[in-house]
């Protein structure tokens, strides 16, 4: 499953990146897919692949800010086996 592989790459490499660099990382994923003529869904929705609205709502109720970076950090923490390196400005 291509989406699963992209999500795994995001979880592995995006932690130390800020929001702009994370967006560039996802854009580089899609650029490589296009370059090699690999079909994929235009809206990768990496965070929504590993979490759902109810879970994200629970995170917000627990005090997690509602910005995309915080939600991505929550998703990375949830799916890492080891302690992830995250940047929290």
């Amino acid at each position: 499953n291509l989406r699963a592989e992209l999500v795994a790459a995001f979880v592995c490499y995006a932690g130390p990146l800020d929001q702009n660099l994370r967006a560039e990382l996802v854009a580089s994923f899609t650029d490589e897919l296009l370059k090699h003529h690999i079909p994929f869904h235009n809206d990768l929705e990496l965070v929504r692949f590993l979490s759902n609205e109810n879970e994200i709502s629970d995170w917000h109720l627990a005090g997690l800010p509602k910005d995309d970076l915080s939600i991505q950090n929550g998703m990375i923490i949830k799916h890492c086996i080891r302690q992830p390196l995250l940047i929290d400005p």
Side-chain angles (χ1 to χ4, degrees):
N1 183 335
L2 180 61
R3 185 179 289 180
E5 292 169 358
L6 293 173
V7 169
F10 184 84
V11 169
C12 289
Y13 298 110
L17 305 177
D18 66 16
Q19 190 62 34
N20 294 331
L21 290 175
R22 288 180 182 184
E24 288 179 27
L25 178 66
V26 172
S28 72
F29 291 163
T30 57
D31 289 346
E32 285 298 313
L33 294 172
L34 289 170
K35 182 171 117 181
H36 296 287
H37 306 290
I38 300 171
F40 68 99
H41 191 274
N42 286 336
D43 189 9
L44 294 175
E45 294 186 22
L46 300 177
V47 172
R48 302 290 182 242
F49 185 76
L50 290 177
S51 60
N52 59 54
E53 290 299 324
N54 291 334
E55 183 174 50
I56 293 171
S57 293
D58 288 345
W59 294 345
H60 295 317
L61 288 173
L64 185 74
K66 295 184 179 185
D67 62 283
D68 288 340
L69 182 68
S70 297
I71 295 169
Q72 291 172 357
N73 285 347
M75 186 251 334
I76 291 170
I77 289 170
K78 179 184 173 200
H79 293 283
C80 278
I81 295 172
R82 298 182 184 183
Q83 298 82 7
L85 171 63
L86 297 172
I87 302 298
D88 187 13

